[in-house]
Amino acid sequence: MNEAIYDDIRLENIARDKFGVKFSIDRVILRDAPVDRSTKVTVLLTEKNQLFAYVQAQASLTLGGVRKHLLKMGLKPKFYIPPGGQPGYFDEVGKQNFQAVFPGRKTISPEDLIYYRTLAAYNPALVQISEVIDGEIRQFDADTHGNWRVAAKFSYRNVQTK
């Protein structure tokens, strides 16, 4: 039990120091669930009823990889929190990747960057979740058919109010 408390404090500190997000964990829905052979995800609920997924991997990880893992888990991302609190991180890396492929192009539209943003390095990752699809959070399991099994049942949907 004490290890779980220390893990929660560690996650709060990582969110504050690496992503510039300050929150208190109300409860952890799923702790260190595998999503492939080297990547683990922790799904947590804050005291303000916000659902977050913290993704960490031993290997390199990109924004596109994080997105793919979360969707396979049954989590619908709302906002990818950029590392270091840099709001333009994904766009800047996308521009650099785009210009490496097309060095002669001077004007770059946001549509041009859609794919190249997904190539941005993003390990560890912190993502705010808008919805748990079908009320089930899945995890990787090589021994099951389809390699995914239900790890937790949890209903959540963030409804926007104006």
Side-chain angles (χ1 to χ4, degrees):
M1 182 65 180
N2 286 338
E3 289 182 26
I5 293 171
Y6 291 131
D7 285 344
D8 293 353
I9 292 170
R10 182 181 63 83
L11 282 173
E12 289 173 357
N13 290 338
I14 288 171
R16 185 188 67 237
D17 297 340
K18 291 194 177 197
F19 298 98
V21 176
K22 195 171 185 180
F23 59 71
S24 295
I25 296 174
D26 182 45
R27 66 181 168 139
V28 174
I29 310 302
L30 193 60
R31 190 180 303 275
D32 292 332
V35 291
D36 66 20
R37 300 197 190 285
S38 69
T39 307
K40 297 189 183 293
V41 175
T42 298
V43 181
L44 56 100
L45 190 67
T46 68
E47 289 181 345
K48 293 182 179 179
N49 257 358
Q50 294 175 316
L51 192 65
F52 284 93
Y54 174 72
V55 184
Q56 61 183 6
Q58 294 172 354
S60 62
L61 196 59
T62 63
L63 176 64
V66 169
R67 181 174 175 253
K68 180 181 79 169
H69 289 319
L70 293 177
L71 291 174
K72 284 187 176 184
M73 289 182 73
L75 301 173
K76 186 176 177 184
K78 178 180 181 181
F79 182 69
Y80 298 95
I81 299 167
Q86 305 167 353
Y89 170 75
F90 298 118
D91 288 331
E92 288 300 317
V93 172
K95 284 179 186 176
Q96 291 172 2
N97 290 334
F98 184 84
Q99 288 176 336
V101 175
F102 302 105
R105 296 259 317 254
K106 299 296 180 202
T107 57
I108 302 172
S109 70
E111 291 79 23
D112 293 334
L113 297 179
I114 290 173
Y115 169 72
Y116 294 96
R117 291 178 77 224
T118 64
L119 302 176
Y122 196 35
N123 186 20
L126 185 65
V127 182
Q128 187 173 1
I129 304 299
S130 67
E131 179 182 354
V132 176
I133 302 167
D134 297 331
E136 295 178 344
I137 302 173
R138 293 179 290 281
Q139 72 179 30
F140 176 78
D141 187 355
D143 295 333
T144 60
H145 179 68
N147 293 335
W148 291 89
R149 68 174 172 87
V150 176
K153 292 189 180 280
F154 184 72
S155 294
Y156 180 84
R157 178 173 289 160
N158 186 349
V159 179
Q160 293 287 5
T161 58
K162 291 185 180 183

